[in-house]
Amino acid sequence: MSMKIIKNMTMIQIKITPEIITRAKKKAATVGNLQGSITGSLSNVVGAIGEIVVRDFTGATEANSKDFDLLVGNRRVDVKTKRCNTTPSPNYDCSVAAHGTKQDCDSYVFVRILTDHSKAWILGEIAKSEFYKKATRYKTGDIDPANGFVFKADCYNLAIQELDSVKEAQS
């Protein structure tokens, strides 16, 4: 597996290879419409890319659970992936839809993927309990004061700079 990794603060930039895309398409084909997905099945490939780059980076084991995606050592990790048009900045937000509060996981790892699928950024990780202590809750129709975005679903947001570095699986 060839993966070009560039570390920048907690963010890890990864070049998305054709091999990663092939694996993601195969994985996405096995997944139906994800419960609570804001963008529906169109995001299955993007979500699969996010899971694959985190799995490859951390040495995690795929979990295939409704509550979490990966086992990183003994941590049950749910990967949250968003598409983007530019390199993420530390002040950009990571989001968890309100229904995500029910997921039985230990932490979230956030990923951004360029819309052309050329690059991904593993933004960081945070314990689920810590995320909800620090995050701001928005309701459908609320307007984000930082950028004017109108929320399409209830969710919680937290800036990338509030995340910890992603830790690899311990043997």
Side-chain angles (χ1 to χ4, degrees):
M1 170 202 52
S2 64
M3 197 186 276
K4 182 180 177 191
I5 299 172
I6 301 169
K7 286 197 174 202
N8 177 12
M9 298 180 2
T10 61
M11 292 189 274
I12 300 150
Q13 181 181 305
I14 297 170
K15 182 182 184 311
I16 299 173
T17 63
E19 183 255 346
I20 290 172
I21 298 289
T22 299
R23 289 167 57 201
K25 285 180 179 176
K26 184 182 279 187
K27 180 175 177 54
T30 67
V31 179
N33 233 358
L34 298 174
Q35 179 192 351
S37 174
I38 295 169
T39 56
S41 63
L42 296 173
S43 293
N44 287 359
V45 172
V46 171
I49 292 169
E51 290 175 27
I52 288 167
V53 298
V54 172
R55 185 178 76 200
D56 290 352
F57 178 76
T58 62
T61 303
E62 195 166 338
N64 291 321
S65 162
K66 67 178 179 56
D67 290 311
F68 56 94
D69 301 311
L70 303 172
L71 286 168
V72 182
N74 62 355
R75 295 188 324 279
R76 298 168 305 152
V77 174
D78 196 56
V79 179
K80 302 294 186 186
T81 306
K82 275 188 185 178
R83 289 179 293 226
C84 62
N85 295 313
T86 62
T87 301
S89 289
N91 63 313
Y92 288 5
D93 284 330
C94 298
S95 302
V96 176
H99 76 275
T101 62
K102 299 173 189 155
Q103 289 178 282
D104 186 16
C105 62
D106 299 313
S107 65
Y108 298 121
V109 171
F110 294 93
V111 177
R112 291 273 177 114
I113 294 177
L114 281 180
T115 53
D116 69 0
H117 298 171
S118 63
K119 292 180 191 170
W121 290 269
I122 301 174
L123 305 173
E125 181 173 9
I126 189 167
K128 177 183 174 186
S129 59
E130 192 69 14
F131 177 84
Y132 292 106
K133 284 180 196 170
K134 293 181 172 183
T136 301
R137 181 173 179 155
Y138 292 96
K139 295 190 180 269
T140 304
D142 284 352
I143 299 171
D144 188 329
N147 57 25
F149 176 79
V150 178
F151 288 90
K152 297 177 179 96
D154 291 4
C155 70
Y156 293 83
N157 277 8
L158 184 69
I160 293 168
Q161 61 201 8
E162 296 292 324
L163 304 175
D164 298 319
S165 296
V166 174
K167 298 174 279 305
E168 297 177 46
Q170 303 297 311
S171 353

